Amino acid sequence: MATPPMIRPAQEDEREGLTLRDYLGVMWRRKWIILLVVVVATGSAYFFSARQAKVYQAQADLIYEQQLDVANPLTGQTYTDANQRLVELNAVNAIIKSPTMTNRADALLQKQGQPTSGYVVSAQVVQDTGSAAGGQTGNVVSVVATSEQPALAAAAAKAYADSFVDWRGERVRAQIGLAQDAISSEMKKYSGAAKESADYLILQQRLRDLQILKATATGNFRVLVPATVPEAPIAPNPLRSAILGFGVGLFAGIGLAFLLEQFDTRVRRPDDVAALLRQPILGRMPRLSREQQKANTLVTLAHPADRVSEAFRMIRTNLAFMDVDGKSRSLMLTSSLQGEGKSVAVANLAVTLALAGKKVVIVDADLRRPRQHRLFGLKNETGASAVAVGDVALRDALQPVDVADLNGGPGVDFAAWVAGTDARARLWVLTSGVIPPNPGEIVSSQRFAAIIDELEHEADIVLVDSPAMLAVGDTAALANSVDGILFLVDMEKARRPVLQAAADQLYRLPSAMMGLVVRLPAGSGRSKDYYYSHYRYSQDDKKPRSTTGVAKEQASSGAAPDASPQG
């Protein structure tokens, strides 16, 4: 038995990073989740925004103007302290929200017949964006009032603006009045000739200046733009809320999709299977249709032009490339888990090889759940279990199968078949026989290995149907008796942890890995990633004509779907 080099462990290969196609693939697979989150977020934002009460906003602008210089009234103030202006402007918001200002504004609102609640007032300094410095603080303060009633919003903004201007003027005039009282008290100290002194005259001049200043005092603020009743509400804005909800929902949906992808252990593409097991893909096997499953027949015989039959022909061709020297005379087909379709794959591959002219023997080494006798319609009274314990001779346990009509018929002799004189039956099957109580010990015995070794000398290729590799230890025991291993993966059942465990197990087996057979998920035959040839024969000339595109594998290898037999 040939023992080609073992496969490399998965840890020794560098994993490729995710590409843009991978990210787009994740979003496409989770498109319904993303769409659901986006629709819910957008609809909820629009719904709750539309149900909110309308809010109106009114604004009154106050301008800061420093008091006129009484000492130089004709030219006015020539210099304004920027720091003082900034301090006074920033203090407006705190003053507006003070209890004193609230009481004043409420009094004005009551006079106008407006309610004193149901509004919110604030003040903000308007930035001077038109200045050369850009963003520099200007000299305008906006008193903003919001309310569900447009008239109340305008009345509140006007009341607070007027109250603030009045309060500022009263405060400045009060300060000037205190200064006048102080000067008047000082002037009373002068009498008689003292009133003619220079000091007295200066005090008298200061008193007159204060009188003029008090008469012209404005508090440095005046209303620049009075508040008007707003015509349209500023909130809610259902359209803007819906757009914001759409953006939030889109990001949340994409994030949820990638989060679910992290917890999803399913394998999506055959290339992912090849990357996890570090083995080439010899064929992609489509799933049988419902009619084919109900018929319970071998598709390679019943439907030779079906895409499933074409897939097995491709596996046959690729096996020939993997074993150019023909040193691998025995091949074991196994899978990770039970029920992935390995027995059906063994039977169809054997038929395909037999139709190509190869002498094929199937050994049903699954002594726990045998299926080969059911697939070929054979008896199972005697088989591999009886041969292994010495009850029956090997040639007496083998059963012929005529690949033309699945009937061996009388007169078919194994010796004549080995000598090549009987071409009716190119396929022989060694069924499992009676299920023994110790199947693991039988398949790992030297007698069972001798059975496979003897068949290797009689047939062109021996196909061994073994149990699932991770379920029992029979596969590891059979690996010492075969030349190569063909591994089948059902993508509907495959999970990353399972494939990683299978990769570690395959690395420890002594036989060479020939490659992978990937059983595609349902509906993948119509996917844009996989195309298969469907040939049908016209009733006139029986010439094949293509009805669909050619498989990617055939395009790459250049082989026709029904090419001349190759291994």
Side-chain angles (χ1 to χ4, degrees):
M1 294 182 294
T3 56
M6 294 183 294
I7 63 173
R8 297 173 58 193
Q11 289 81 0
E12 293 183 6
D13 295 281
E14 295 182 359
R15 296 184 60 84
E16 296 181 357
L18 293 176
T19 62
L20 178 60
R21 179 182 178 183
D22 297 325
Y23 289 112
L24 294 177
V26 172
M27 291 188 288
W28 177 254
R29 288 192 296 270
R30 309 286 181 179
K31 58 181 178 295
W32 296 116
I33 294 178
I34 298 176
L35 181 62
L36 177 62
V37 174
V38 169
V39 170
V40 170
T42 305
S44 299
Y46 184 90
F47 176 76
F48 287 110
S49 178
R51 288 179 59 88
Q52 292 178 358
K54 295 182 179 180
V55 177
Y56 296 86
Q57 176 178 292
Q59 174 178 316
D61 293 336
L62 303 178
I63 187 171
Y64 176 85
E65 294 177 336
Q66 194 162 349
Q67 181 66 38
L68 182 67
D69 187 2
V70 179
N72 192 11
L74 296 179
T75 58
Q77 181 68 28
T78 59
Y79 172 75
T80 300
D81 189 349
N83 293 330
Q84 179 184 356
R85 179 186 63 181
L86 181 61
V87 170
E88 294 193 19
L89 290 174
N90 291 333
V92 174
N93 186 48
I95 297 173
I96 286 291
K97 296 181 179 181
S98 65
T100 301
M101 204 58 56
T102 301
N103 294 333
R104 283 175 168 266
D106 289 346
L108 292 178
L109 291 174
Q110 289 178 355
K111 291 181 180 180
Q112 300 173 9
Q114 295 288 348
T116 58
S117 61
Y119 61 86
V120 177
V121 179
S122 63
Q124 55 187 9
V125 180
V126 179
Q127 300 294 325
D128 187 7
T129 57
S131 63
Q136 179 180 349
T137 302
N139 60 342
V140 176
V141 179
S142 295
V143 178
V144 180
T146 56
S147 175
E148 296 180 4
Q149 304 176 26
L152 178 59
K158 183 178 183 303
Y160 274 85
D162 294 340
S163 299
F164 177 77
V165 172
D166 294 342
W167 176 82
R168 284 282 301 186
E170 293 175 2
R171 182 172 175 274
V172 171
R173 286 190 290 271
Q175 292 176 346
I176 297 174
L178 293 176
Q180 288 178 329
D181 294 341
I183 294 177
S184 298
S185 300
E186 189 67 24
M187 292 176 62
K188 290 179 180 180
K189 297 179 181 179
Y190 292 86
S191 60
K195 293 182 178 181
E196 301 295 333
S197 63
D199 293 339
Y200 183 83
L201 294 176
I202 292 174
L203 292 174
Q204 192 177 30
Q205 183 61 39
R206 291 286 183 251
L207 183 60
R208 284 196 293 266
D209 292 341
L210 289 174
Q211 291 174 350
I212 297 174
L213 183 60
K214 185 176 184 180
T216 59
T218 61
N220 296 348
F221 285 92
R222 67 178 178 86
V223 177
L224 179 64
V225 179
T228 58
V229 178
E231 298 180 356
I234 60 170
N237 190 335
L239 180 60
R240 182 177 60 187
S241 299
I243 295 175
L244 180 60
F246 176 83
V248 174
L250 181 62
F251 282 104
I254 294 175
L256 179 60
F258 280 95
L259 178 62
L260 294 177
E261 189 72 14
Q262 294 297 320
F263 293 98
D264 189 1
T265 59
R266 288 178 293 180
V267 182
R268 300 292 184 176
R269 298 183 300 170
D271 293 341
D272 297 334
V273 176
L276 288 170
L277 296 175
R278 292 297 187 269
Q279 293 298 324
I281 297 178
L282 300 185
R284 295 173 170 87
M285 186 173 69
R287 308 189 83 83
L288 300 178
S289 63
R290 294 182 178 178
E291 292 76 10
Q292 293 170 346
Q293 293 176 1
K294 292 179 180 179
N296 196 24
T297 57
L298 295 177
V299 66
T300 50
L301 287 174
H303 307 281
D306 191 82
R307 58 178 184 170
V308 179
S309 301
E310 298 295 343
F312 279 104
R313 293 189 185 100
M314 181 57 59
I315 297 173
R316 178 190 67 192
T317 303
N318 289 334
L319 277 175
F321 289 128
M322 297 298 294
D323 185 28
V324 178
D325 297 332
K327 295 181 179 180
S328 298
R329 303 296 296 273
S330 58
L331 184 65
M332 178 176 63
L333 196 149
T334 185
S335 61
S336 301
L337 304 174
Q338 177 182 324
E340 293 192 68
K342 57 177 180 55
S343 297
V344 176
V346 169
N348 283 282
L349 180 59
V351 171
T352 303
L353 291 170
L355 290 174
K358 294 292 183 180
K359 298 177 181 179
V360 185
V361 176
I362 296 178
V363 178
D364 195 347
D366 191 349
L367 303 185
R368 303 172 189 269
R369 296 174 58 90
R371 287 201 60 194
Q372 294 300 328
H373 64 284
R374 297 180 181 177
L375 293 173
F376 288 100
L378 303 175
K379 297 180 180 180
N380 197 30
E381 284 79 8
T382 59
S385 60
V387 175
V389 298
D391 293 343
V392 180
L394 175 60
R395 297 201 174 192
D396 295 335
L398 288 167
Q399 301 183 54
V401 174
D402 191 343
V403 294
D405 57 7
L406 287 180
N407 291 314
V412 177
D413 182 70
F414 183 70
W417 175 75
V418 173
T421 59
D422 192 342
R424 286 181 297 169
R426 294 175 178 171
L427 174 62
W428 288 73
V429 179
L430 179 61
T431 61
S432 65
V434 179
I435 299 177
N438 56 343
E441 286 74 9
I442 291 180
V443 297
S444 60
S445 64
Q446 294 183 356
R447 288 189 176 184
F448 203 92
I451 294 174
I452 298 176
D453 184 65
E454 182 178 350
L455 292 174
E456 287 180 0
H457 293 83
E458 307 292 348
D460 293 330
I461 185 168
V462 179
L463 294 180
V464 180
D465 183 7
S466 69
M469 185 177 63
L470 298 182
V472 293
D474 297 3
T475 301
L478 289 169
N480 291 316
S481 306
V482 297
D483 297 331
I485 298 175
L486 190 62
F487 197 78
L488 185 141
V489 178
D490 187 352
M491 292 189 61
E492 286 192 351
K493 296 184 177 181
R495 297 295 183 268
R496 291 182 181 274
V498 174
L499 294 181
Q500 291 170 354
D504 295 338
Q505 184 71 14
L506 290 172
Y507 173 66
R508 297 183 178 90
L509 298 181
S511 300
M513 273 294 298
M514 304 298 293
L516 306 175
V517 175
V518 178
R519 190 181 183 192
L520 301 175
S524 59
R526 296 183 298 272
S527 172
K528 63 181 181 180
D529 292 332
Y530 314 104
Y531 297 89
Y532 295 92
S533 294
H534 298 269
Y535 287 90
R536 63 184 181 187
Y537 294 89
S538 63
Q539 297 180 355
D540 297 333
D541 52 8
K542 300 297 182 180
K543 293 183 180 180
R545 59 183 181 182
S546 176
T547 58
T548 61
V550 180
K552 290 184 178 179
E553 300 92 341
Q554 296 164 352
S556 61
S557 63
D562 200 10
S564 58
Q566 301 183 46

